[in-house]
Amino acid sequence: MRPTWDEYFMDIAELVKERSTCLRRKVGAVIVKDNRILTTGYNGVPPKMRHCEESGCLRTELNIPSGQRHELCRALHAEQNAVIQAAKNGIEIDGSTIYVTAQPCIICAKILIASGIKRIVFKGDYPDNLSLEMLKESKIEVVAF
């Protein structure tokens, strides 16, 4: 049976997350408009930096729970990387959909709201209720896959 568009793009996001070098949670994201892939992203450190596999995980060392103290992480989130790739390459993402293999955190939610994403399809959870509240207030369509 042929997959729906949501199934198709979420499957691609699942594949994208395999590039992640995060030791705690691998996440993939795909930004799509008119059923065409614009950019992808996965969580990992910025270019030219040692991956967490080499440097270790500061969050684990400090026993920081998931969803807290985002600033104490060397990595960018998958959504952030997908938006950054669009910006670097001059790709307009206003009005697009993002597929993510985990619920966006509050930082990513704010970035997605500001970037003009109109629809978020996510799979999995993340301990961050404020992000869901802000997404609801922003009137972005949010679909738990």
Side-chain angles (χ1 to χ4, degrees):
M1 185 190 292
R2 192 172 186 204
T4 66
W5 286 114
D6 283 352
E7 292 167 336
Y8 175 74
F9 291 120
M10 189 58 77
D11 284 348
I12 293 170
E14 287 288 342
L15 180 61
V16 169
K17 84 176 186 182
E18 294 306 315
R19 291 280 307 155
S20 171
T21 57
C22 181
L23 301 174
R24 291 172 51 137
R25 180 191 302 240
K26 294 182 181 299
V27 180
V30 179
I31 298 179
V32 174
K33 190 169 187 177
D34 299 326
N35 293 329
R36 300 287 180 252
I37 295 172
L38 302 177
T39 66
T40 64
Y42 52 87
N43 55 330
V45 298
K48 301 178 185 170
M49 295 184 66
R50 290 180 298 133
H51 294 290
C52 298
E53 296 162 332
E54 301 167 49
S55 66
C57 179
L58 179 61
R59 294 173 60 78
T60 297
E61 291 170 20
L62 296 175
N63 202 27
I64 297 171
S66 183
Q68 298 178 18
R69 305 291 313 269
H70 299 287
E71 74 279 8
L72 295 177
C73 180
R74 293 169 47 85
L76 293 160
H77 286 188
E79 304 95 318
Q80 294 168 353
N81 270 322
V83 171
I84 289 166
Q85 287 306 310
K88 283 179 67 173
N89 292 295
I91 300 169
E92 184 176 328
I93 59 173
D94 188 46
S96 61
T97 296
I98 188 167
Y99 294 85
V100 190
T101 61
Q103 174 195 316
C105 72
I106 185 59
I107 295 169
C108 290
K110 291 186 284 188
I111 289 170
L112 297 175
I113 292 165
S115 68
I117 297 285
K118 71 171 184 178
R119 185 169 181 257
I120 299 170
V121 181
F122 73 88
K123 183 178 183 181
D125 61 354
Y126 194 75
D128 195 333
N129 290 330
L130 181 57
S131 70
L132 294 177
E133 290 172 19
M134 286 191 71
L135 291 169
K136 183 177 180 180
E137 183 180 338
S138 74
K139 307 275 192 275
I140 291 176
E141 180 185 354
V142 178
V143 178
F145 189 76

